[in-house]
Amino acid sequence: MSYIAPVKDMLFDIEHLADIEQIAQMPGFEEAGLDTAQAVLEECAKFNEGVLAPLNVEGDRHPSSWKDGQVTTTAGFVQAYKQFAEGGWQGLQHPADFGGQGLPKTIGAACIEMLNSANLSFALCPLLTDGAIEALLTAGSDDLKSVYLEKLVTGEWTGTMNLTEPQAGSDLAMVRSRAEPQPDGTYKVFGTKIFITYGEHDMADNIVHLVLARIPGAPDGVKGISLFVVPKFLVNADGSRGARNDVHCVSIEHKLGIKASPTAVLQYGDHGGAVGYLVGQENRGLEYMFIMMNAARYAVGVQGIAVAERAYQKAVAYARDRVQSRPVDGSVNGPATIIHHPDVRRMLMTMRAMTEGCRAMASVAAAAYDAAHHHPDAQARKQNQAFYEFLVPLVKGYSTEMSLEVTSLGVQVHGGMGFIEETGAAQYYRDAKILTIYEGTTAIQANDLVGRKTARDGGQVAQAIAAQIEKTEGELVRRDSVAARAVARRLVAARKAFLDVVGFVVQQGKASPNAVFAGSVPYLMLAGNLVAGWQLARSLLVAEDLLHKGQDASFMQAKIATARFYADHILARAPGLRDAIVEGGDSVTALPMEAF
Amino acid sequence: MSYIAPVKDMLFDIEHLADIEQIAQMPGFEEAGLDTAQAVLEECAKFNEGVLAPLNVEGDRHPSSWKDGQVTTTAGFVQAYKQFAEGGWQGLQHPADFGGQGLPKTIGAACIEMLNSANLSFALCPLLTDGAIEALLTAGSDDLKSVYLEKLVTGEWTGTMNLTEPQAGSDLAMVRSRAEPQPDGTYKVFGTKIFITYGEHDMADNIVHLVLARIPGAPDGVKGISLFVVPKFLVNADGSRGARNDVHCVSIEHKLGIKASPTAVLQYGDHGGAVGYLVGQENRGLEYMFIMMNAARYAVGVQGIAVAERAYQKAVAYARDRVQSRPVDGSVNGPATIIHHPDVRRMLMTMRAMTEGCRAMASVAAAAYDAAHHHPDAQARKQNQAFYEFLVPLVKGYSTEMSLEVTSLGVQVHGGMGFIEETGAAQYYRDAKILTIYEGTTAIQANDLVGRKTARDGGQVAQAIAAQIEKTEGELVRRDSVAARAVARRLVAARKAFLDVVGFVVQQGKASPNAVFAGSVPYLMLAGNLVAGWQLARSLLVAEDLLHKGQDASFMQAKIATARFYADHILARAPGLRDAIVEGGDSVTALPMEAF
């Protein structure tokens, strides 16, 4: 088996860190306890291990192809997508009213991880559909909802996000596509959109494009952008598929990775205008798009965890198999499998600890999302929402950056074989590279963290998180275990580094914007590192308790060893980041532009 | 122009850090002063910028191909190689007796960097030829020298290194190829060699394979390996090309990067035995191979610098061109080129500082090599040799690891365009990944650093280097510049971290080999970081002096800003590495093998 879903680790996080039983107390989630989580995850594992994982290499070797405006996906994808839709996997987190199962994100996120581990390229299609569903749920009229939502939730149709244009990437203010109002209340959409994931494909009957465009006379910049639904095929009054709309795929990109996923250039309106339907109100498109983006950003963070997990599994398998050299401690008298060698262990532990740390962070973020939407108490909802929003750039930014390190180590563990494409380790390295770029680069996440999430409230949410971390430190030092105390020491140092940086951001943001934003990505890396390390520290506390109760000793010992490793080797990076941010801000922009 | 050789920066290092005028005092290097360096570098830049750089993308898109045992290289390579050989570039550092120019490594290394920046895949062919020349110069009989050396030095023929077999990668003790002695004093060689760079190609009339194999009855392990010359075509008594030898290329690999460079599987002796000639004495093959390896390891380190430089240039060009978003400091009232944004500057500065730091380190290492071979004083030769040997794993390991970070940032600066293969940034990311693997993985370099270079002499050379660094710190603190003092602070912290680790390695090496070797790669990263940072600190001192003398202000200011950035952002990582190594050794191997 090329991928085995880490169901046990996921359930540990869901039970002990995200506290699923607490979530199951909230209105609407009554069915969503640990038993449900386990049943869903096991079913999900079966599907992904059996159906999607084997198609991953195929997709890399035989990418989607374009001919005369049509895209043909990798052989096997159409059938696999059918099974995906029929299994109800698209609707896992979406409302039962529209054909979904209404499960918490806490459970859904684990399923999304499996999907992406199994097949990152395939998983992008449902990921984008999720975004379209969110946008329509939030801002769509009843008409739009009734025409599109059930089709999307059941996976019969798929969705896309159309933001980017050649001149408008990170900077959406520069969007030029235009939408001209028609007498019947619809719009005619014109323009070119690029980098549209699954913008064209053969896996579903219809594609529902959500498109940013300007209505004539709208204000300049981001305040003049509206959001439109533009279906590939118009929909008849009876819900059946109607005429082909004027949106066409003129090419797909030749990419470094995620090759099975077609990245389309879409041309709107070359034959008279594509029929579009306004979503919500005029000029509020960016706001609605952010709903999709925030869902998608979290999901891209999970993609980072997913590809890291798969790279880890492959590296472990190779390290157990490949025989080379005598161990330095003499434990084997002759050549041994390379997992005996300390540096191979360091690489595997780094991969494992980073992956588990980010998974734990994503799991508690999902729980906060669920509580923010379902907690009966308004104050608790608000607090959870703030916590979730702080975590989104960390889940997206830190998990994807760590996936670059993990997939690079994955190649390295394989030595020369890693560089040979047939081995497969290189695919993860190539696939992962997009994750720090799309749905907002790491710098864009970091700007969000610095601006909206830290400076705007004077660092209050950041400090509240630090206070929670301090409580965990207190619990750790009360333990008499060496591991707990070692973890506590690194956690204290990392938290203090974090607070220094938060203070710097809050105090210097106005006076020295260049210095603060020069440190934005290092700040994100520090904060993500800290929160992931904190969750592993919590895991250690739980694991020690359960170990004392005699529960699953080898799993609990592994949790403790992994948390300890993370603290010693990854959290230990935090103080250096603090120094670079707080004391090195000016040196980033000291070299004049013309001197590069 | 897709690549402009950084001649000015190279000459700065050669003049002020490597002290070429000092080298030109040594016997044999009388012609090799700064003027010569400048003339050679400028000529070299012209050739590489004009001829080889434009072929780099071609090689990636149309790799070498194999058919019926023949390898056809990318269109243009044959002609370019002819120009390379005719220009005398292969013989730059080799003895005039055999047709070379006998220039110091201090000059040659800069030329090798240009060659690799221009075209990493192409440059591998001369790189391997250099290794073959070194081995024959050191251990070849007069006969072998007279038959092969001039042909190799002039570039008429090329050389290869044949170490790896399917079961013998990092572990050469497992080499199984065999060489049977013949009555005429030759050997018949049998076996399979894999990963043989330019093991077959169409750019030269003959290929001189240097092959590790066992003579029947030889001891087990590395002490029973001998080195042989096995030419693709036998050589007639008059020096003309003779019969085809029994070595055949049965396939080439499909790789992540360096695609133009054919990586061959070579089959020896399938048709009766390949004729081979023993190099030096029986069973000393590994020793001779290490001569080639050490030359090659240094050169691979330079490859890291080279690909980093090219990635940097491409990223700068894009950052100057791409317009996106308003600067956070309000310096432009509207969308600006992205080089205005602090995070883009941070990425570019990281790329620049790492590249310049590693170049400076490689330059002083080359000067030590030259002094080790040409200094009239035996004690000075010995000291320089020890310094050079300490630096080889750093140049190889640190420069190549940093090239992964730099080429990754290079993609990141390009945003979504970076992920599109046509952009070209992804090629550097793919190409660079082999550098931390071939000629000894980073872990193999780190083992060398820990074992032969640190533990064996009780840390003496390491401490001597630290003492030199301390002198530089003294000079820095005597300056009244903010930059010098900021650099001094980070340099002190990094040096102390280094000394702690050296102490740990020396004291714990025997008692806790697992803990020490678990920290071997972090130790290499710390040491490389420190030595590169030290050389940039020296650069800062020189640049401040020259600035006061009114010399080339913008270049000197850039040097100072780059050194300061390196200290603030890269050297700042050192204390965290120290903590991970010294305090985190046990947590690397705490998780039992079966628990992964």
Side-chain angles (χ1 to χ4, degrees), chain B residues 355-437:
Chain B
T355 306
E356 286 191 16
C358 287
R359 178 181 296 129
M361 172 166 69
S363 195
V364 298
Y369 176 91
D370 290 328
H373 287 79
H374 286 257
H375 201 288
D377 177 62
Q379 185 60 23
R381 284 201 300 275
K382 202 180 146 197
Q383 278 175 359
N384 276 289
Q385 181 64 24
F387 181 69
Y388 176 70
E389 286 186 2
F390 193 88
L391 257 61
V392 167
L394 309 188
V395 170
K396 201 299 186 175
Y398 183 68
S399 305
T400 60
E401 291 286 342
M402 79 87 190
S403 79
L404 301 186
E405 187 169 345
V406 169
T407 54
S408 179
L409 288 171
V411 175
Q412 191 72 18
V413 168
H414 285 80
M417 290 306 295
F419 201 66
I420 306 300
E421 284 288 4
E422 282 77 3
T423 304
Q427 183 188 346
Y428 308 136
Y429 183 65
R430 289 186 286 97
D431 284 354
K433 193 70 198 84
I434 192 59
L435 304 179
T436 58
I437 296 171

Side-chain angles (χ1 to χ4, degrees), chain B residues 348-362:
Chain B
L348 295 178
M349 283 303 294
T350 303
M351 297 172 80
R352 177 190 179 93
M354 286 183 159
T355 306
E356 286 191 16
C358 287
R359 178 181 296 129
M361 172 166 69

Side-chain angles (χ1 to χ4, degrees), chain A residues 435-456:
Chain A
L435 304 179
T436 58
I437 296 172
Y438 65 18
E439 301 306 336
T441 63
T442 306
I444 295 291
Q445 308 304 318
N447 284 355
D448 181 44
L449 179 67
V450 163
R452 277 184 289 272
K453 310 296 166 66
T454 305
R456 187 181 284 176

